[in-house]
Amino acid sequence: MPPPAAPTVEGLVDVARDQSIEDWERMFGRAVLVGPKPGPIGSPAETEEEDPWAFQTISASIDPSGGGDPLTSFRYSEVYGLKKAAGGAFAATVLIGRSSSNDVSIPESSLSKLHARVHLAVDGTMTISDSGSKNGTLLNGQPIDGKPRPLTHGDLLQLGKRSFKVYATRRFHGLVAKLPI
């Protein structure tokens, strides 16, 4: 059974106004990944010009052709919480990949079944490491090799062909709650 679809920023506007920051942290965890929705799964474009989602998310989704409204594009971006699905021996490690058994399941063919790991330290810091994925992981445009790298609010993360901006959940809640209806 496929995982439920990721919510969009637009779908969370009313929720942000009705729920506290603490509720959002329980729902999403410490941070969220926000990125543009991909085209149909399994239909890769030949070039970046043909694929409107083949770019890195900066502060919002920006149409590479120069048109479009960044706020509107941001509103339709998908949101993935960096939260452990269940406790257990590895409760501090969030697994990310295309497999539905991961804590963060992103149904994208360019992601490996287990693509990356995010370690949530007790002191509030996070680190990310690639899990030997086929298409790699980039953090702020730099490949992640075998060593974990710090992951913080504002970082740009690319998993395979999917690009995301990392938001601290508290900051993301404030941003979404202020979006115009």
Side-chain angles (χ1 to χ4, degrees), residues 26-155:
R26 280 190 288 279
M27 182 169 52
F28 288 116
R30 193 175 298 170
V32 294
L33 303 178
V34 179
K37 294 176 96 170
I41 294 175
S43 62
E46 296 296 318
T47 67
E48 279 193 20
E49 290 79 33
E50 294 173 9
D51 183 358
W53 300 109
F55 58 88
Q56 287 204 343
T57 305
I58 301 188
S59 62
S61 306
I62 299 172
D63 183 344
S65 66
D69 174 18
L71 180 59
T72 300
S73 298
F74 174 73
R75 289 178 74 98
Y76 294 112
S77 291
E78 293 181 323
V79 179
Y80 294 92
L82 291 179
K83 181 181 175 190
K84 191 70 182 168
F90 301 103
T93 303
V94 175
L95 306 177
I96 303 171
R98 76 169 190 269
S99 173
S100 61
S101 63
N102 289 308
D103 302 303
V104 179
S105 178
I106 303 172
E108 160 64 46
S109 61
S110 70
L111 269 69
S112 295
K113 289 180 183 178
L114 174 57
H115 197 94
R117 293 178 175 92
V118 174
H119 179 74
L120 308 170
V122 176
D123 66 2
T125 61
M126 300 181 294
T127 57
I128 186 163
S129 58
D130 187 81
S131 298
S133 66
K134 179 180 177 184
N135 292 315
T137 302
L138 301 178
L139 179 62
N140 298 318
Q142 299 299 312
I144 295 178
D145 49 17
K147 172 175 128 174
R149 299 271 186 82
L151 185 65
T152 61
H153 174 80
D155 281 343

